[in-house]
Amino acid sequence: MIQRIQTLYLFGAAIISTLGAFVLPLYAIESEAFRATAGMYTFLTFGISMSLFSGAVLLYRNRKMQLVVVRLGMLSALAAMGFIAQAILTNVGAEASWGAAAPFACILFAFLASKGIQKDEKKVRGLDRLR
């Protein structure tokens, strides 16, 4: 489980999602920083993506289901990115901060993990063909 590179990518996505939800400021208005906990939907989508990425680590035996869960996590991170963009655009004088890039980093790590999962699935199918 831990020796697979996609597991490390999924851990990275889950950690970045956690940092984006609780630690990193998403945007600032006149030097007052706002985190994901300021908006209910933003916090909810970060929590969903964090739980999906963490849960996908445990699905290492069922690669097809793991791939579906990772893609749902990517969709959730994309929704978080949309909520962040909407919050920045609706508030006058809002400037994006480092936390606004957290969903993008989650999507990047999830994409790399899905490529690793697909590679494992292709390898297993190739071995089944040889039997």
Side-chain angles (χ1 to χ4, degrees), residues 72-120:
L72 285 174
M74 289 171 67
L75 187 64
S76 176
L78 186 66
M81 190 183 303
F83 286 129
I84 292 168
Q86 187 250 348
I88 291 172
L89 293 175
T90 58
N91 293 318
V92 177
E95 297 176 355
S97 186
W98 288 101
F104 179 74
C106 286
I107 291 172
L108 179 69
F109 277 125
F111 176 76
L112 292 172
S114 70
K115 287 296 178 186
I117 294 167
Q118 289 172 351
K119 188 188 302 183
D120 278 356

Side-chain angles (χ1 to χ4, degrees), residues 1-9 11 57 60:
M1 175 175 89
I2 195 70
Q3 69 269 18
R4 296 169 60 206
I5 190 69
Q6 58 265 28
T7 305
L8 298 177
Y9 289 142
F11 275 137
V57 171
Y60 61 94

